Amino acid sequence: GDEEVGVALLTYPVLMASDILLYQSDLVPVGEDQKQHLELTRDLAERVNNLYGGRKWKKLGGRGGTIFKVPEPLIPPAGARIMSLTDGLSKMSKSAPSDQSRINILDPKDLIANKIKRCKTDSFPSLEFGNSERPECNNLLSIYQLASGKAKE
């Protein structure tokens, strides 16, 4: 057709699955919106184990009956979905056009502090978790909870 598909659409999920399977991970930390990415890994592990595991694997010198562990998702109770610093209704994403909307893994400490100070907030005078009318407040409190290690309460 006339449309083109970037090769990363096809290669990235396989590379991710390869990393997970190579290290024989039992649990893989993912956000709630990324659980489906782990399904390919699970499918590949189960298929290889069914096709080549068991007696065939033992004949080749392998131990046990499986070649790959079938990993489970580890979805944390807090921070499973961090929202954008510029829009409390959008997921934080490295593909967002504004660098201000996210915290990059290599951002220095002072830049992260500056991004947090400049992020979108609301005009209410107090802080509260769980109010759907205050998504930016929920997001900031969630980030603080993760960074400080304090409980929601």
Side-chain angles (χ1 to χ4, degrees):
D2 295 333
E3 297 180 30
E4 294 181 20
V5 174
V7 71
L9 178 67
L10 306 173
T11 59
Y12 177 74
V14 174
L15 291 173
M16 185 181 86
S18 301
D19 282 342
I20 294 167
L21 295 174
L22 173 70
Y23 291 103
Q24 297 288 342
S25 304
D26 292 314
L27 297 169
V28 178
V30 293
E32 62 186 27
D33 60 326
Q34 298 170 329
K35 188 176 175 183
Q36 73 274 10
H37 297 304
L38 190 57
E39 291 304 316
L40 173 65
T41 305
R42 293 175 50 78
D43 290 345
L44 289 171
E46 289 171 352
R47 180 154 173 100
V48 168
N49 289 341
N50 288 335
L51 288 174
Y52 304 106
R55 291 185 188 143
K56 293 176 192 173
W57 181 237
K58 284 186 176 181
K59 281 183 183 178
L60 294 173
R63 288 185 244 152
T66 62
I67 297 169
F68 294 122
K69 288 183 180 179
V70 180
E72 295 291 333
L74 175 64
I75 300 174
R81 182 177 285 227
I82 301 295
M83 307 312 275
S84 168
L85 298 177
T86 56
D87 177 9
L89 297 173
S90 304
K91 187 182 139 219
M92 188 180 285
S93 171
K94 65 183 178 191
S95 60
S98 172
D99 189 57
Q100 182 63 34
S101 69
R102 62 184 171 271
I103 298 171
N104 298 306
I105 196 161
L106 296 178
D107 281 350
K109 189 166 67 170
D110 58 331
L111 180 58
I112 293 171
N114 194 21
K115 285 181 177 183
I116 296 289
K117 288 177 188 175
R118 296 181 64 209
C119 72
K120 183 179 177 185
T121 57
D122 56 40
S123 59
F124 295 101
S126 63
L127 297 173
E128 62 182 322
F129 263 119
N131 185 341
S132 60
E133 294 179 15
R134 301 184 68 190
E136 288 82 12
C137 181
N138 281 326
N139 191 39
L140 283 174
L141 286 172
S142 294
I143 292 170
Y144 178 72
Q145 179 186 3
L146 292 169
S148 69
K150 293 184 177 183
K152 194 175 192 176
E153 295 73 31

